[in-house]
């Protein structure tokens, strides 16, 4: 994990260096993996599906970090959503 500090004018920026992986069977992610911070992961999943997207990786808990999901928008773009929660178990 890479974290850039918070200042009065900028929020915390988090990044992760990891190997390429398949988010969908046979579909390798070959570019920037975008994961956005959300305040409510359940509401985000519902909004994705209500607007024509699909959940491609169900909500999972990363202990001490939060809850994560990956989705595909109606145009086929893949992205993640993370609800940060340092108390996540």
């Amino acid at each position: 994990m890479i974290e850039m500090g918070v200042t009065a004018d900028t929020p915390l920026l988090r990044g992760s260096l990891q190997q390429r992986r398949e988010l969908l069977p046979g579909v390798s992610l070959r570019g920037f993996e975008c994961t956005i911070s959300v305040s409510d992961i359940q509401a985000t999943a519902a909004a994705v599906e209500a607007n024509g997207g699909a959940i491609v990786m169900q909500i999972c808990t990363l202990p001490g970090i939060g809850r994560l999901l990956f989705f595909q928008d109606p145009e086929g773009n893949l992205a993640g959503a993370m609800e940060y929660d340092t108390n996540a178990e």
Side-chain angles (χ1 to χ4, degrees), residues 27-83:
V27 180
S28 292
L29 191 57
R30 297 298 244 177
F32 178 71
E33 182 177 312
C34 177
T35 301
I36 57 173
S37 176
V38 299
S39 60
D40 184 334
I41 197 81
Q42 297 290 345
T44 300
V48 165
E49 292 178 322
N51 288 284
I55 305 301
V56 298
M57 186 188 89
Q58 294 298 318
I59 297 169
C60 67
T61 300
L62 304 173
I65 299 172
R67 283 164 289 289
L68 172 70
L69 68 75
F70 276 88
F71 63 93
Q72 189 172 35
D73 73 12
E75 294 181 353
N77 299 301
L78 295 169
M82 169 70 82
E83 178 184 339

